[in-house]
Amino acid sequence: MNKLPLIIKREYLAKVRNKSFVIMTFLSPILMVGMILLIAYLTQLNDNEKRVIAVLNDSGYFSNEFVASEATSYVNFKDLTLAEAKDSTVNLGYYGLLYLPSEQNLEQVAQRAFFYSKDAPSSIILDKLENTITSRLRQERLRELGLSPKEYAEMDRSYNMNIETFDGLQNIKGINEIKAIIGGAFGYLIMMFIIIYGGFVMRSVIEEKTSRIIEVIISSVKPFHLMMGKIIGTSLAGITQFGIWIISGAILLFIGLAIFDIDPASLTKGGMAPGMAGNANVDVDAVTQNIQLYAQEIFEIPIFAMLIFFIIYFVLGYLIYSSIYAAIGAAVDNETDTQQFIFPVILPLMLAIYVGFFSVFSNPNGPIAVAFSLFPLTSPIVMLMRLPWGIGEGGVPVWQLISSILILIATFIGIVWVAAKIYRVGILMYGKKPSYKELYKWLKYSS
């Protein structure tokens, strides 16, 4: 057992000294931050582009309904034919032309209105124009029924349901979606790390096996110690790389935002709370209050606890899956032969992301979410998706959290035992592509 630290050190140094590892460690944050800055810059550019729409209004309606906004402005054409208005719109480089014909009533005007543009218009622009015309139609119809403009304005005012917990705490719409996204991000990180660094373990075993170096190493080290040394050493290298990514990425992002004068809010679609955007009748005080409530809810998410459990679930999940990857690497002679074994390994991870996300999104304490957060091959991902709702009352019950970790530990012990048997036989097998039936036979071999 005293040789295990030496194997861990050897595997760790072999990984961190590898040229591709060093290059990707420092290049990846630059590429990621560059992509984020590019998206922010392009989004900011897109928001700064103002679309000008020409309006040829031959009807007696819509005198002041089309109101300019930050992204759209309107230019009224008068005393022009439709053909002249089209030519003027094209020559002036306007985004499009809204034509409202002269008809007997508003219903006919709306039915025969046209929007002309060079290419297919944006659905956002069309929705805005259609909503304006629809609102005016509704107002006219109600006016014919005897409703005054003031009464119409009162009737058209939007309504938001008041929501509150049984304990009397005010609740807000959309916070569950935000929590699901935060939890999903943590779960997705675990899945990516397991796939990436588990693959490192598998390829390392294949390289040593095909180069016959393994035959020399195995003469002085037990197969189980060699397998665990590879798994732990690679995981430590992965944690080192991840730590460098986080620190350097945060520094580069801060510097990049400052240098290029990019507003981080350019990615938030105006920074309004969900359900607020596009509503002209929103009370500013109500919006401010909702933003404060959202901020308060987000700050109440147990981020520190999630980081701790992220490490716990990452380590346990990685140990389970990397043991399987090591066994696969020992069972084959080249990476091509691993395909028949890789898909069953990745399937639970994919299932955890997709099924777990949708089950947690709708009901974080529902039976599907609970089952997937206890099943050991999916629990590292699904349990982290549930943690934004808290631990204890109203969140993940403590017994479920403890049970999930204990089941993971027991599963790790069982899978390591199975993987070690396959590893012990497979690392000395050459020239034969094993089947599942053959792997089962290897499990029966005595130590």
Side-chain angles (χ1 to χ4, degrees):
M1 199 64 185
N2 58 341
K3 294 181 180 179
L4 181 59
L6 295 176
I7 300 170
I8 293 172
K9 181 181 178 180
R10 171 184 172 273
E11 291 296 327
Y12 177 80
L13 293 177
K15 287 289 179 297
V16 298
R17 289 175 178 174
N18 186 279
K19 287 185 179 180
S20 61
F21 183 91
V22 174
I23 291 171
M24 291 310 299
T25 297
F26 293 98
L27 186 61
S28 294
I30 296 173
L31 294 175
M32 289 299 297
V33 170
M35 184 178 68
I36 293 172
L37 292 175
L38 179 62
I39 292 172
Y41 176 72
L42 294 177
T43 304
Q44 197 163 278
L45 265 184
N46 186 63
D47 289 342
N48 290 336
E49 180 187 359
K50 196 158 189 174
R51 291 166 174 166
V52 181
I53 297 174
V55 179
L56 179 60
N57 188 3
D58 290 338
S59 71
Y61 306 94
F62 301 102
S63 57
N64 55 2
E65 278 80 5
F66 298 101
V67 181
S69 64
E70 292 183 2
T72 311
S73 62
Y74 298 92
V75 174
N76 292 309
F77 285 162
K78 293 183 179 180
D79 302 325
L80 295 178
T81 63
L82 178 58
E84 292 172 340
K86 287 182 181 179
D87 291 338
S88 298
T89 302
V90 173
N91 293 332
L92 293 170
Y94 292 164
Y95 181 78
L97 170 67
L98 175 63
Y99 175 58
L100 302 169
S102 176
E103 298 293 343
Q104 294 180 357
N105 55 58
L106 182 58
E107 296 283 348
Q108 292 179 355
V109 172
Q111 290 174 6
R112 297 175 185 175
F114 275 87
F115 182 78
Y116 300 95
S117 62
K118 183 178 179 181
D119 299 312
S122 166
S123 59
I124 297 174
I125 296 292
L126 281 180
D127 287 344
K128 188 179 293 185
L129 295 174
E130 288 171 354
N131 289 339
T132 301
I133 294 174
T134 300
S135 178
R136 183 68 179 85
L137 276 171
R138 187 185 298 115
Q139 185 177 0
E140 182 66 17
R141 290 165 185 164
L142 293 173
R143 186 191 65 79
E144 292 175 355
L145 295 174
L147 202 67
S148 67
K150 184 178 179 180
E151 291 171 327
Y152 166 75
E154 183 66 23
M155 185 198 71
D156 199 47
R157 189 171 59 182
S158 61
Y159 168 76
N160 293 315
M161 176 69 73
N162 295 312
I163 50 180
E164 193 173 84
T165 66
F166 287 113
D167 297 328
L169 299 176
Q170 188 173 358
N171 220 327
I172 48 177
K173 182 181 178 181
I175 192 63
N176 283 346
E177 288 79 356
I178 295 174
K179 290 179 178 179
I181 291 171
I182 294 173
F186 275 88
Y188 187 77
L189 277 177
I190 283 188
M191 184 190 76
M192 292 304 300
F193 282 134
I194 287 174
I195 293 175
I196 292 172
Y197 296 114
F200 285 170
V201 172
M202 182 182 69
R203 283 188 289 272
S204 175
V205 173
I206 294 174
E207 288 172 4
E208 291 185 352
K209 180 180 176 180
T210 53
S211 64
R212 301 298 178 99
I213 295 175
I214 199 77
E215 295 178 1
V216 178
I217 298 174
I218 208 69
S219 62
S220 57
V221 178
K222 290 183 179 180
F224 177 78
H225 294 166
L226 181 60
M227 184 185 75
M228 290 305 299
K230 284 185 174 296
I231 292 171
I232 297 172
T234 303
S235 67
L236 292 175
I239 292 171
T240 302
Q241 190 177 55
F242 179 65
I244 295 173
W245 283 351
I246 292 294
I247 296 171
S248 59
I251 294 172
L252 287 172
L253 183 60
F254 178 78
I255 294 173
L257 291 173
I259 291 176
F260 295 103
D261 193 25
I262 296 174
D263 182 10
S266 61
L267 296 175
T268 62
K269 299 293 183 183
M272 298 186 77
M276 297 293 179
N279 189 345
N281 296 322
V282 171
D283 184 2
V284 176
D285 292 336
V287 172
T288 304
Q289 183 181 4
N290 271 280
I291 291 174
Q292 292 174 349
L293 287 172
Y294 276 99
Q296 182 181 347
E297 286 283 347
I298 291 172
F299 282 128
E300 288 179 357
I301 293 175
I303 296 295
F304 182 71
M306 288 187 67
L307 289 173
I308 293 175
F309 283 106
F310 173 83
I311 296 172
I312 293 172
Y313 279 102
F314 166 67
V315 170
L316 292 174
Y318 170 79
L319 289 175
I320 288 174
Y321 279 96
S322 59
S323 301
I324 300 174
Y325 274 106
I328 293 173
V332 301
D333 291 338
N334 56 73
E335 201 165 339
T336 305
D337 294 338
T338 63
Q339 301 307 312
Q340 63 173 324
F341 301 111
I342 288 296
F343 181 71
V345 177
I346 296 178
L347 187 61
L349 296 173
M350 296 172 60
L351 197 64
I353 285 291
Y354 293 107
V355 177
F357 180 79
F358 288 111
S359 64
V360 171
F361 190 86
S362 58
N363 186 3
N365 290 318
I368 301 298
V370 172
F372 273 81
S373 63
L374 293 176
F375 181 61
L377 297 182
T378 58
S379 62
I381 295 173
V382 180
M383 185 60 81
L384 278 175
M385 291 182 176
R386 296 178 60 202
L387 285 180
W389 279 265
I391 301 172
E393 187 177 356
V396 179
V398 176
W399 72 266
Q400 290 182 11
L401 200 59
I402 296 174
S403 300
S404 174
I405 294 173
L406 292 177
I407 292 172
L408 272 174
I409 294 172
T411 304
F412 165 65
I413 294 171
I415 287 182
V416 164
W417 179 82
V418 172
K421 281 183 168 290
I422 296 174
Y423 187 90
R424 186 185 69 247
V425 178
I427 54 176
L428 298 176
M429 291 285 186
Y430 298 96
K432 185 178 180 181
K433 185 177 179 180
S435 62
Y436 286 102
K437 185 177 181 181
E438 187 110 13
L439 294 179
Y440 180 70
K441 288 181 180 179
W442 293 357
L443 297 177
K444 295 181 178 180
Y445 292 164
S446 59
S447 301

